[in-house]
Amino acid sequence: ADNLKLSTPLLSRFDLIFILLDRPDSGLDKYLSDHVLAMHAGETSSQFEPHESDLPLEQKLMTCKEQLEPLQLKKYIAHVRSTIHPTLSDDAKAVLKEYYLQLRSDDNNDETPITTRQLESLIRLTESRARVAQHNIATSADAIDVVEIFQHCMRDARADSNAAGPAGSGKAMGVAKASKLLISALNGHSERTCTSLFSVAEIKEVMTRAKN
């Protein structure tokens, strides 16, 4: 919320939030470099070799060789949206319920509170996953794929909010939030002491008091 300049209640209305991080990954880096070089050489980029169908969703997406042109993709989305109206199977409901209850039990982060909005998001996403596959019934496999996507988003969002390390209350705050807190505390200290110059020790002391 700090980095995006959006309030937490507003962010909670998004089903998925992806934090774009440039993390080193030897396999992905090799694939991307081959792809970019092939594009500049006017060649067809290399593709990952297909693996077993029971791989995690992220790996299944990376092994997919079939690609649709933008116009084809638009037509396909319009088709499934108008013709496929899936409902949740009992198995899919069980997967979503178990994951939601796990999120609630593990919820100890003020930056990303877990509410029924997350459960509603999981339901919508599972129905969408089934619709893309042209399933009239959303299966447990659809729900598991959605849980994997949701876990990815939650992990990145919380890692981003914890980037500044633990705060005095035992809960983490984002870098932007910590910076605002320090600036506000230093302004107050400056008014009280009638000085705008601070030693490193004074800054640390002011920040410690501000956290408490």
Side-chain angles (χ1 to χ4, degrees):
D2 289 324
N3 294 333
L4 296 175
K5 305 301 181 184
L6 295 175
S7 64
T8 299
L10 182 57
L11 280 177
S12 70
R13 295 183 177 273
F14 291 88
D15 288 341
L16 295 172
I17 300 173
F18 290 96
I19 307 297
L20 300 181
L21 302 174
D22 187 13
R23 294 178 176 140
D25 184 310
S26 58
L28 182 59
D29 291 342
K30 181 180 182 303
Y31 171 73
L32 289 176
S33 62
D34 289 344
H35 177 69
V36 172
L37 290 170
M39 287 181 58
H40 283 273
E43 302 171 355
T44 302
S45 61
S46 60
Q47 300 286 343
F48 285 107
E49 292 300 320
H51 297 286
E52 298 298 327
S53 60
D54 59 350
L55 287 173
L57 177 63
E58 183 176 4
Q59 295 185 36
K60 285 191 288 187
L61 291 174
M62 296 298 290
T63 61
C64 180
K65 285 189 173 183
E66 297 181 8
Q67 297 183 6
L68 295 177
E69 295 296 327
L71 181 57
Q72 290 178 306
L73 183 59
K74 289 180 180 179
K75 289 182 177 179
Y76 183 76
I77 292 174
H79 169 70
V80 296
R81 288 185 66 179
S82 62
T83 60
I84 308 297
H85 305 285
T87 57
L88 296 180
S89 67
D90 291 339
D91 289 342
K93 291 177 184 178
V95 171
L96 298 183
K97 180 179 179 180
E98 180 181 358
Y99 180 59
Y100 172 70
L101 293 177
Q102 177 188 334
L103 287 177
R104 288 287 294 175
S105 64
D106 295 341
D107 184 23
N108 58 358
N109 190 306
D110 287 339
E111 297 291 331
T112 315
I114 303 301
T115 68
T116 53
R117 287 188 187 278
Q118 278 73 27
L119 179 58
E120 292 169 348
S121 294
L122 288 167
I123 294 171
R124 283 193 295 270
L125 291 168
T126 301
E127 292 173 345
S128 297
R129 174 67 183 89
R131 187 176 289 115
V132 167
Q134 300 191 57
H135 296 162
N136 288 316
I137 303 295
T139 65
S140 60
D142 296 320
I144 289 171
D145 282 349
V146 166
V147 166
E148 186 178 339
I149 295 172
F150 212 82
Q151 285 176 326
H152 180 83
C153 290
M154 294 291 293
R155 182 173 63 248
D156 281 354
R158 289 185 169 181
D160 181 65
S161 67
N162 293 343
S169 63
K171 297 182 179 179
M173 64 174 66
V175 174
K177 186 175 181 179
S179 300
K180 291 178 183 178
L181 179 62
L182 176 58
I183 292 172
S184 176
L186 288 175
N187 285 335
H189 184 72
S190 176
E191 292 176 359
R192 290 192 298 271
T193 60
C194 298
T195 180
S196 58
L197 299 176
F198 311 100
S199 65
V200 174
E202 286 177 319
I203 293 175
K204 289 182 178 179
E205 182 182 355
V206 170
M207 188 59 183
T208 299
R209 289 202 304 266
K211 289 179 179 178
N212 296 329

